[in-house]
Amino acid sequence: MLAFLGATTLMLVAGAPWVLPAGGTDLRSPENVTVSITDDNFTLKWDSSSESVRNVTFSADYQITGMDNWIKLPGCQYITSTECNFSSVKLKSVYEKIKLRIRAEKGNSTSPWFEVDPFIPFQEAQIGPPDVHLEAEDKAIKISLSPPGTKKSVMWAMDSSSFVYSLVIWKNSSRLEERTKTVYPRDKIHKLSPETTYCLKVKARLRSPRKDGFYSPVYCIKTTAKHQLPSPENVEINAENQVYVLKWNYTYENMTFQAQWLHAFLKKIPGDHSDKWKQIPNCENVRTPRCVFPQSVFPKGIYFIRVQASNGNNASLWSEEKKFNTEMQTILLPPVVNMRPINNASLRVCISAPTESENNSVNQLYPLIYEVIFRENTSNTERKVLEKRTDFTFPNLKPLTVYCVKARALIENDKWNKSSVFSDTVCEKTKPGSTSKASLIAGICAAVLFIPVVIYGVKFLWQCISYVFFPSSKPPSTLDECFSEQPLKNLLLSTSEEQTERCFIIENTNSVTIMEENDQIDEDHRKYSSQTSRDSGVYSNEDENSGCKIGEDESQLAGVFKLDS
Ligand SMILES: *[C@@H]1O[C@H](CO)[C@@H](O)[C@H](O)[C@H]1NC(C)=O
Ligand SMILES: *[C@@H]1O[C@H](CO)[C@@H](O)[C@H](O)[C@H]1NC(C)=O
Ligand SMILES: *[C@@H]1O[C@H](CO)[C@@H](O)[C@H](O)[C@H]1NC(C)=O
Ligand SMILES: *[C@@H]1O[C@H](CO)[C@@H](O)[C@H](O)[C@H]1NC(C)=O
Ligand SMILES: *[C@@H]1O[C@H](CO)[C@@H](O)[C@H](O)[C@H]1NC(C)=O
Ligand SMILES: *[C@@H]1O[C@H](CO)[C@@H](O)[C@H](O)[C@H]1NC(C)=O
Ligand SMILES: *[C@@H]1O[C@H](CO)[C@@H](O)[C@H](O)[C@H]1NC(C)=O
Ligand SMILES: *[C@@H]1O[C@H](CO)[C@@H](O)[C@H](O)[C@H]1NC(C)=O
Ligand SMILES: *[C@@H]1O[C@H](CO)[C@@H](O)[C@H](O)[C@H]1NC(C)=O
Ligand SMILES: *[C@@H]1O[C@H](CO)[C@@H](O)[C@H](O)[C@H]1NC(C)=O
Ligand SMILES: *[C@@H]1O[C@H](CO)[C@@H](O)[C@H](O)[C@H]1NC(C)=O
Ligand SMILES: *[C@@H]1O[C@H](CO)[C@@H](O)[C@H](O)[C@H]1NC(C)=O
């Protein structure tokens, strides 16, 4: 639901025409004057108010703020039609205000000038379609895009590598199965069928300032016949102790494989980088569908990896390119869950980092969310909730009843789609006593909670969780307890390995954010963050940094502490 900014033509001024006798002829000023700018094409359009007069022409002047005199607008002198192209105007900068005026003329008589509101060309400029070039493979289409405007574009000189491209692709035979994708200037659309015609269109947009572009024309291309040798599939890379293990699946035996890598940032830079792929050491001419190489091969960063099979004479096409973030390849370990009754109707759950921290657990590097499954021991009905916090309470329970809980950690970004296995199940009995009166709300929302949950963006679910667990907008007092049990000092002194009873340390993730900036991931990340912070209602001031998760930075911690206390 992007706001479609800038796509409407700029209606500058539609003032009343002036009627003044000039040189004997009644010539009126043009009306409905509009300026439209697409990339580097500047067009001025108007309506003639003197249609009854024959052989009228129009001329326009311009002025740049700070100049005293008007200059003839190139391309817009003695125009017989009602539009002119002034793309050849020489502007010092597209960020500088410009003023235009236009009048009608015939022989020696002229109309009064019609003056257009001053405008900044860059602000009014719309993004034209990118140039699209396609190449078919059997199960993929290679696309290469040139940024909107010409190579020498003045308008987008600062932005041409900031464009984000959205592509819509469909089978020509079925417009219904449309796929929308964000693509790099050089990219491949995978998972297509051989010998099938696909059609696609692409548009570019800018994030800052926010501008949406026009779609390209529709391009259609037919994928080739099935390649003799299929491409390797399911390429997967994982960190194991000091090495990376790269694995893939292949249909046939007795093949040799090679694997290559590319810096991910190159994908963002327009142009052909196909010659920048490099061989991964130890993954050249391997005869197994896997290879192992030292972690030192890849310094911290984001990469793409691809694999090719060969039978000595012929080679397959390259596999799908696997995005590989060195920080994300480690295994996500399951959390440790503790539960204990806090009164006659509530169980408090605390989630902490696994004791296992030898092999680079990412649990401490990324903001995690937890999928928590909670049920009454004797019931098969499960409540599945998503929690950002590591310390929370299930209220409104039956007294003297055994409830069980288990949880798994998820990385907050669906691009990576990482989840741990579930923790051990922990069961605990509530204390004796009468049930709390307020089980009505829980009942209403429980029906929703039982529905298997789509992990992201389930607005209603978040609201429901908030509603059930925090009917008031005040964070639950258990958070304070969490802090008081663990003195501030200790938290600060704790290393990430040193596990605390109920709290663990989340290291500051600035580095991650920076890396994401460099990558298309960040958009989805931001989208998700803003969505959750918007949707989670009362969660808003106990976001990632709150609860039991403590930032490394002291000022940040202090801030969080203040917020929650
Ligand atoms: C200017 O636009 C208005 C509204 O669209 C229209 O009614 C009017 O006729 C236009 N003026 C001329 C001279 O065409
Ligand atoms: C309009 O201009 C054309 C040539 O420029 C000329 O032949 C014609 O006579 C003119 N018409 C009027 C009404 O002035
Ligand atoms: C406008 O004029 C420029 C040359 O000044 C030209 O390159 C461009 O193609 C023209 N644009 C349109 C839309 O005709
Ligand atoms: C326009 O004015 C010039 C002198 O200023 C004169 O010589 C010429 O005859 C005039 N033309 C018309 C069509 O009035
Ligand atoms: C700008 O002008 C050029 C040359 O006429 C043309 O090829 C291009 O399509 C125009 N761009 C737009 C967005 O109108
Ligand atoms: C797409 O399909 C239509 C009919 O379904 C056909 O007429 C057209 O030629 C196809 N286009 C391409 C590029 O194959
Ligand atoms: C290869 O395929 C098998 C089943 O066909 C699957 O279990 C395995 O996970 C796949 N390997 C990879 C690396 O995806
Ligand atoms: C992590 O460590 C455990 C025990 O030290 C080991 O069993 C496991 O294989 C390791 N995992 C990885 C991915 O290295
Ligand atoms: C692969 O090679 C081995 C020995 O080189 C041979 O025994 C086996 O039959 C071959 N397998 C296939 C599927 O060709
Ligand atoms: C290699 O491909 C060619 C055609 O592309 C084919 O004629 C030949 O049989 C293939 N060789 C092997 C060993 O598959
Ligand atoms: C949970 O219920 C099962 C039978 O349904 C029982 O065997 C088990 O002891 C119960 N667990 C606890 C912790 O009470
Ligand atoms: C259960 O707890 C509530 C609130 O703390 C209290 O009002 C109620 O008396 C307790 N019930 C029993 C049986 O202790």
Side-chain angles (χ1 to χ4, degrees):
M1 275 123 301
L2 289 172
F4 191 60
L5 296 183
T8 49
T9 302
L10 170 68
M11 182 69 79
L12 289 157
V13 167
W18 288 86
V19 190
L20 274 182
T25 322
D26 279 359
L27 275 183
R28 292 157 171 248
S29 306
E31 262 185 66
N32 301 335
V33 183
T34 58
V35 172
S36 64
I37 306 172
T38 303
D39 303 336
D40 294 275
N41 287 346
F42 290 64
T43 310
L44 186 63
K45 290 187 185 169
W46 59 89
D47 287 337
S48 168
S49 312
S50 313
E51 256 149 13
S52 55
V53 190
R54 295 176 105 191
N55 282 6
V56 172
T57 59
F58 301 90
S59 295
D61 288 352
Y62 76 101
Q63 192 179 66
I64 289 163
T65 313
M67 273 181 6
D68 291 332
N69 52 323
W70 289 91
I71 302 172
K72 289 191 186 312
L73 190 61
C76 298
Q77 301 303 312
Y78 305 107
I79 303 298
T80 49
S81 63
T82 56
E83 70 172 81
C84 60
N85 168 1
F86 63 103
S87 309
S88 57
V89 66
K90 292 274 180 293
L91 299 176
K92 264 187 283 164
S93 152
V94 292
Y95 307 103
E96 211 168 53
K97 236 179 210 165
I98 172 171
K99 268 159 84 176
L100 297 182
R101 63 179 191 181
I102 181 169
R103 70 180 177 187
E105 63 224 342
K106 179 188 164 74
N108 280 359
S109 57
T110 57
S111 75
W113 289 103
F114 179 93
E115 205 167 303
V116 166
D117 278 347
F119 62 94
I120 294 171
F122 183 79
Q123 280 179 359
E124 304 307 332
Q126 301 169 76
I127 302 174
D131 202 36
V132 180
H133 182 78
L134 302 177
E135 215 178 300
E137 289 184 358
D138 59 347
K139 292 177 190 168
I141 294 171
K142 277 162 88 170
I143 55 168
S144 59
L145 306 172
S146 311
T150 56
K151 275 212 171 69
K152 289 181 198 142
S153 174
V154 176
M155 189 61 73
W156 311 129
M158 314 280 285
D159 304 276
S160 66
S161 59
S162 314
F163 283 119
V164 178
Y165 298 95
S166 313
L167 172 142
V168 183
I169 183 168
W170 61 93
K171 267 185 196 165
N172 187 38
S173 55
S174 162
R175 185 78 201 237
L176 295 176
E177 294 164 41
E178 221 174 62
R179 262 161 75 185
T180 302
K181 233 176 153 295
T182 299
V183 293
Y184 294 107
R186 298 280 164 145
D187 214 334
K188 253 188 192 186
I189 327 281
H190 289 277
K191 300 192 172 71
L192 304 178
S193 314
E195 294 187 80
T196 308
T197 301
Y198 289 89
C199 296
L200 58 82
K201 58 181 183 179
V202 191
K203 70 174 177 184
R205 66 191 153 86
L206 284 177
R207 282 186 195 138
S208 173
R210 207 162 169 144
K211 272 179 193 285
D212 206 356
F214 294 121
Y215 270 114
S216 68
V218 171
Y219 294 82
C220 294
I221 191 169
K222 189 174 176 183
T223 48
T224 61
K226 204 161 175 182
H227 199 270
Q228 213 172 4
L229 293 176
S231 309
E233 286 181 333
N234 304 324
V235 176
E236 194 183 293
I237 181 165
N238 281 303
E240 284 181 18
N241 302 320
Q242 297 307 304
V243 297
Y244 284 122
V245 178
L246 178 64
K247 292 187 277 195
W248 56 90
N249 277 11
Y250 203 71
T251 332
Y252 307 124
E253 281 177 50
N254 292 355
M255 303 291 289
T256 58
F257 301 96
Q258 63 163 329
Q260 297 186 336
W261 65 272
L262 180 78
H263 279 295
F265 69 81
L266 287 172
K267 291 262 185 180
K268 298 214 78 182
I269 302 171
D272 186 3
H273 304 291
S274 54
D275 57 339
K276 307 229 167 60
W277 286 89
K278 296 207 176 62
Q279 198 69 46
I280 300 179
N282 293 2
C283 300
E284 199 170 2
N285 296 321
V286 291
R287 302 193 64 87
T288 49
R290 77 199 291 269
C291 57
V292 175
F293 50 94
Q295 286 195 7
S296 57
V297 169
F298 290 115
K300 193 167 146 183
I302 305 176
Y303 304 88
F304 279 94
I305 287 185
R306 64 182 189 181
V307 183
Q308 184 184 50
S310 151
N311 63 5
N313 302 307
N314 292 326
S316 74
L317 294 167
W318 287 100
S319 69
E320 205 167 315
E321 292 158 12
K322 175 77 181 174
K323 191 183 227 159
F324 159 55
N325 180 343
T326 52
E327 301 218 330
M328 288 304 300
Q329 299 310 313
T330 42
I331 305 289
L332 195 52
L333 297 171
V336 174
V337 176
N338 278 298
M339 183 159 67
R340 61 157 216 246
I342 50 171
N343 61 39
N344 61 31
S346 303
L347 285 169
R348 176 177 170 189
V349 176
C350 257
I351 297 178
S352 54
T355 17
E356 181 61 66
S357 47
E358 243 173 71
N359 34 21
N360 309 358
S361 158
V362 294
N363 295 42
Q364 282 125 4
L365 289 173
Y366 289 88
L368 298 175
I369 49 175
Y370 298 96
E371 184 182 306
V372 182
I373 297 201
F374 185 78
R375 65 178 168 87
E376 204 180 307
N377 186 31
T378 51
S379 158
N380 289 327
T381 319
E382 289 179 340
R383 249 198 236 187
K384 197 190 268 187
V385 296
L386 295 176
E387 268 295 346
K388 273 188 164 183
R389 298 163 313 149
T390 53
D391 183 310
F392 48 90
T393 303
F394 283 98
N396 305 329
L397 305 174
K398 293 184 234 165
L400 278 177
T401 308
V402 177
Y403 290 90
C404 299
V405 70
K406 63 179 177 179
R408 63 174 176 165
L410 308 166
I411 292 278
E412 210 181 63
N413 188 318
D414 59 350
K415 272 264 154 74
W416 285 314
N417 212 11
K418 275 257 171 204
S419 63
S420 71
V421 296
F422 273 103
S423 67
D424 293 335
T425 299
V426 175
C427 295
E428 200 58 59
K429 201 179 210 169
T430 45
K431 288 181 177 165
S434 63
T435 21
S436 153
K437 61 226 166 227
S439 47
L440 183 65
I441 303 162
I444 294 165
C445 286
V448 175
L449 295 171
F450 295 151
I451 296 167
V453 164
V454 181
I455 289 172
Y456 297 106
V458 185
K459 183 174 176 176
F460 184 57
L461 178 73
W462 274 118
Q463 285 171 342
C464 201
I465 294 169
S466 316
Y467 193 41
V468 174
F469 299 128
F470 314 110
S472 84
S473 62
K474 192 173 160 286
S477 58
T478 48
L479 288 182
D480 299 337
E481 281 171 49
C482 181
F483 280 110
S484 52
E485 278 168 19
Q486 188 66 43
L488 186 60
K489 218 184 221 168
N490 283 1
L491 284 174
L492 284 170
L493 292 175
S494 301
T495 68
S496 44
E497 275 144 69
E498 204 180 321
Q499 200 203 325
T500 60
E501 169 73 278
R502 3 197 129 266
C503 306
F504 65 85
I505 311 298
I506 289 280
E507 284 170 9
N508 198 322
T509 56
N510 279 351
S511 57
V512 179
T513 317
I514 290 159
M515 279 190 323
E516 288 174 2
E517 273 317 324
N518 232 345
D519 220 83
Q520 83 184 79
I521 301 158
D522 81 295
E523 209 214 350
D524 301 281
H525 180 74
R526 254 188 253 156
K527 222 191 297 172
Y528 173 60
S529 319
S530 69
Q531 192 158 30
T532 48
S533 63
R534 192 175 60 238
D535 294 345
S536 58
V538 297
Y539 277 0
S540 56
N541 67 351
E542 41 183 275
D543 240 49
E544 279 150 36
N545 298 324
S546 59
C548 293
K549 305 184 193 176
I550 309 300
E552 202 175 43
D553 170 332
E554 184 167 358
S555 59
Q556 191 186 350
L557 176 63
V560 170
F561 195 74
K562 212 159 145 195
L563 250 180
D564 283 340
S565 53

